[in-house]
Amino acid sequence: MRLDSVIFGGGAAGLWLLDRLSRDGHHVVLLEANALGAGQTVASQGIIHGGLKYSLSGLLTRSAISIREMPATWRNALLGRSVPNLTRTRLRSDCCYLWQTESLSSRVGMLGARIGLQVKSEAIEAEERPAALANVFGTVARLPEQVICPASFIADLADQYRDRILKIDAQQGLQFTLGSPGEVESLQLTSPADGQQLELKPRQVIFTAGAGNARLREMVGLSGDVMQCRPLHMVLARGALPELHGHCIDGARTRVTITSDIDCDGRTVYQIGGQIAEDGTSLEPLALVERARAELGEVLPNLDLSHVEWSTYRIDRAEGATSNGARPDSIQVLCAGNVTTGWPTKLVLAPILAQEIASRASSPYISSAFDATALNDWPRPDVASLPWEDADRIWWTIPEPSSASRRRAA
Ligand SMILES: Cc1cc2nc3c(=O)[nH]c(=O)nc-3n(C[C@H](O)[C@H](O)[C@H](O)COP(=O)(O)OP(=O)(O)OC[C@H]3O[C@@H](n4cnc5c(N)ncnc54)[C@H](O)[C@@H]3O)c2cc1C
């Protein structure tokens, strides 16, 4: 089958790009090795950042600059006013909240929120506070950063392009024929369902497979050593908790970022990231859970955590490598031969990555309409499950800390 483009990886980056190239008239197919969004996207917190998190030092950093147009781009897509149409993506919240701990440096961090971003925080009155923040110290600000359910976003885009998304066996069922390193002439697929064969002859190949990009690059004779993985150890808490989406800041650091959702049994689930997930990489799950329990006791002192169940999951952020191993300022794109490799760095930057890759792509060369009939019998990937819906997940309960230790923590 002759194609303009083949995309590897159906996370935020690959699916946004699939939409873009399809609209540009490309004959394009996306290949997914696991479940769609199975790497980072479905495990992410789904915050459509506007750059504020990256400006807490008081400076308009390069990260903040690259991200600042994104809330409007996503908002329009979510409303169906621009493409891709994301009207079936579930919005968890239309805004995030920003609150602080008692230290002076935290208040300095709050000031950092007021620099030149398009997303600005706005202090709210006591009666406007969400229940979870009713009694926290100091100012609470509202940020116009939306929070989406990443699994529904993936499903929304995938449903629009089901005819051109294929499940592959990337270990046993994928072979490249190369003209030279980085010059793919064709690829041979063996169906993971019934062993049928398919040959694809694309003019260009795009890797947006997150952590899978390194291996794919090696398979086409390119260096895999251009990627970095920064680990996180995220915390989950479920129970009778009030809805909450926001960041507790301490100086220039995000002490915790909490987003919430309702699980399939109707419980509220908190997904807890931020500094605690960075620091938690060296901790065993139970030790991290105990730390998170104490941390929530401090940042949300009036929250009743007595019947909450806790869990954790480890996940790597996969990005283009930087010289010092720090988070890249923006998207990363590498081109060699007819192979392009991309990492969005943030979910919110998927539109910029798609725009960049599409602008570098050659024009579509097949003039007829895309006909997916030859792909009809090929297996399709599912959408990955949210981390808290994993049936094998272990949940812990932690005894209420004694009032003495609780006082020390407060
Ligand atoms: C815990 C956490 C929270 C985050 N929260 C936010 C947030 O709130 N806001 C934000 O903007 N960003 C956030 N991010 C970052 C964001 O999730 C990522 O930048 C983004 O999801 C990366 O998308 P991706 O499509 O490049 O990769 P992935 O989502 O990792 O998708 C890669 C896809 O490629 C597939 N794949 C792998 N190997 C192969 C192969 N050989 N062949 C075919 N397919 C393959 C995988 O199965 C997967 O479906 C967070 C990240 C983490 C880890």
Side-chain angles (χ1 to χ4, degrees):
M1 184 176 193
R2 300 190 80 79
L3 292 166
D4 293 302
S5 318
V6 167
I7 301 170
F8 282 81
L15 285 167
W16 200 294
L17 180 64
L18 177 65
D19 175 88
R20 174 60 198 260
L21 293 180
S22 298
R23 286 179 195 283
D24 287 353
H26 281 240
H27 284 213
V28 51
V29 164
L30 183 147
L31 308 177
E32 169 57 53
N34 308 296
L36 296 166
Q40 303 150 86
T41 303
V42 167
S44 81
Q45 292 190 273
I47 300 174
I48 308 304
H49 297 289
L52 186 131
K53 186 173 162 184
Y54 307 118
S55 64
L56 292 176
S57 59
L59 300 171
L60 193 56
T61 60
R62 287 185 59 203
S63 299
I65 291 169
S66 78
I67 236 169
R68 65 182 169 182
E69 313 291 334
M70 288 300 100
T73 300
W74 281 81
R75 197 171 281 271
N76 285 333
L78 290 162
L79 287 169
R81 289 186 187 147
S82 63
V83 291
N85 182 317
L86 297 182
T87 46
R88 287 190 296 157
T89 298
R90 184 161 60 83
L91 197 59
R92 285 180 179 153
S93 175
D94 205 39
C95 67
C96 282
Y97 294 93
L98 200 61
W99 77 104
Q100 58 199 313
T101 43
E102 279 188 51
S103 67
L104 176 65
S105 57
S106 294
R107 288 197 286 277
V108 173
M110 288 291 277
L111 295 177
R114 306 214 174 97
I115 63 171
L117 296 170
Q118 302 205 348
V119 164
K120 295 215 170 54
S121 65
E122 171 205 353
I124 57 170
E125 302 295 331
E127 62 271 20
E128 293 178 272
R129 290 182 178 197
L133 301 179
N135 298 307
V136 299
F137 166 81
T139 309
V140 175
R142 186 191 292 115
L143 279 176
E145 292 185 344
Q146 296 181 300
V147 186
I148 59 164
C149 168
S152 76
F153 154 66
I154 292 287
D156 195 351
L157 274 178
D159 285 349
Q160 298 175 47
Y161 294 103
R162 204 38 71 194
D163 64 339
R164 60 201 72 181
I165 299 176
L166 308 181
K167 168 108 179 178
I168 59 162
D169 176 350
Q171 304 297 326
Q172 311 291 336
L174 168 65
Q175 275 189 319
F176 291 94
T177 302
L178 305 177
S180 56
E183 202 64 59
V184 177
E185 289 180 349
S186 64
L187 44 119
Q188 292 74 40
L189 302 177
T190 306
S191 164
D194 58 11
Q196 70 172 288
Q197 306 279 313
L198 179 66
E199 185 178 47
L200 302 179
K201 292 189 170 178
R203 286 185 89 198
Q204 64 169 345
V205 173
I206 303 153
F207 297 149
T208 50
N213 280 351
R215 168 83 186 112
L216 285 166
R217 284 176 60 86
E218 284 161 3
M219 287 178 83
V220 300
L222 297 173
S223 166
D225 201 16
V226 290
M227 193 182 90
Q228 64 187 28
C229 286
R230 289 185 305 126
L232 285 175
H233 197 175
M234 299 287 289
V235 180
L236 299 172
R238 73 178 181 194
L241 293 162
E243 180 184 1
L244 179 61
H245 304 272
H247 316 278
C248 177
I249 59 169
D250 189 1
R253 296 216 164 241
T254 308
R255 190 166 170 175
V256 290
T257 291
I258 299 176
T259 48
S260 61
D261 204 349
I262 305 295
D263 73 6
C264 59
D265 290 323
R267 290 167 292 215
T268 301
V269 181
Y270 278 6
Q271 203 172 350
I272 305 165
Q275 192 62 41
I276 191 164
E278 308 257 0
D279 298 345
T281 56
S282 59
L283 298 177
E284 291 303 314
L286 188 52
L288 177 58
V289 156
E290 283 168 350
R291 175 113 159 237
R293 171 73 178 76
E295 186 75 349
L296 253 61
E298 289 189 33
V299 301
L300 297 169
N302 293 296
L303 205 62
D304 178 5
L305 299 171
S306 48
H307 300 293
V308 166
E309 294 176 283
W310 302 84
S311 188
T312 71
Y313 64 96
R314 291 182 188 274
I315 179 114
D316 283 345
R317 290 159 293 181
E319 310 156 335
T322 59
S323 53
N324 59 1
R327 176 173 41 75
D329 283 327
S330 188
I331 62 162
Q332 305 269 80
V333 179
L334 301 173
C335 296
N338 67 348
V339 174
T340 303
T341 311
W343 294 270
T345 305
K346 298 296 290 180
L347 164 76
V348 69
L349 293 174
I352 297 187
L353 182 70
Q355 160 68 28
E356 179 66 24
I357 295 178
S359 70
R360 295 185 191 205
S362 45
S363 307
Y365 81 119
I366 309 173
S367 52
S368 58
F370 181 65
D371 179 4
T373 314
L375 310 176
N376 280 352
D377 295 334
W378 201 270
R380 313 284 156 169
D382 295 328
V383 174
S385 305
L386 291 160
W388 49 91
E389 303 294 3
D390 174 2
D392 297 330
R393 173 165 299 290
I394 297 169
W395 295 86
W396 288 278
T397 49
I398 306 181
E400 181 80 350
S402 69
S403 51
S405 62
R406 182 161 186 149
R407 258 202 310 281
R408 268 201 306 279

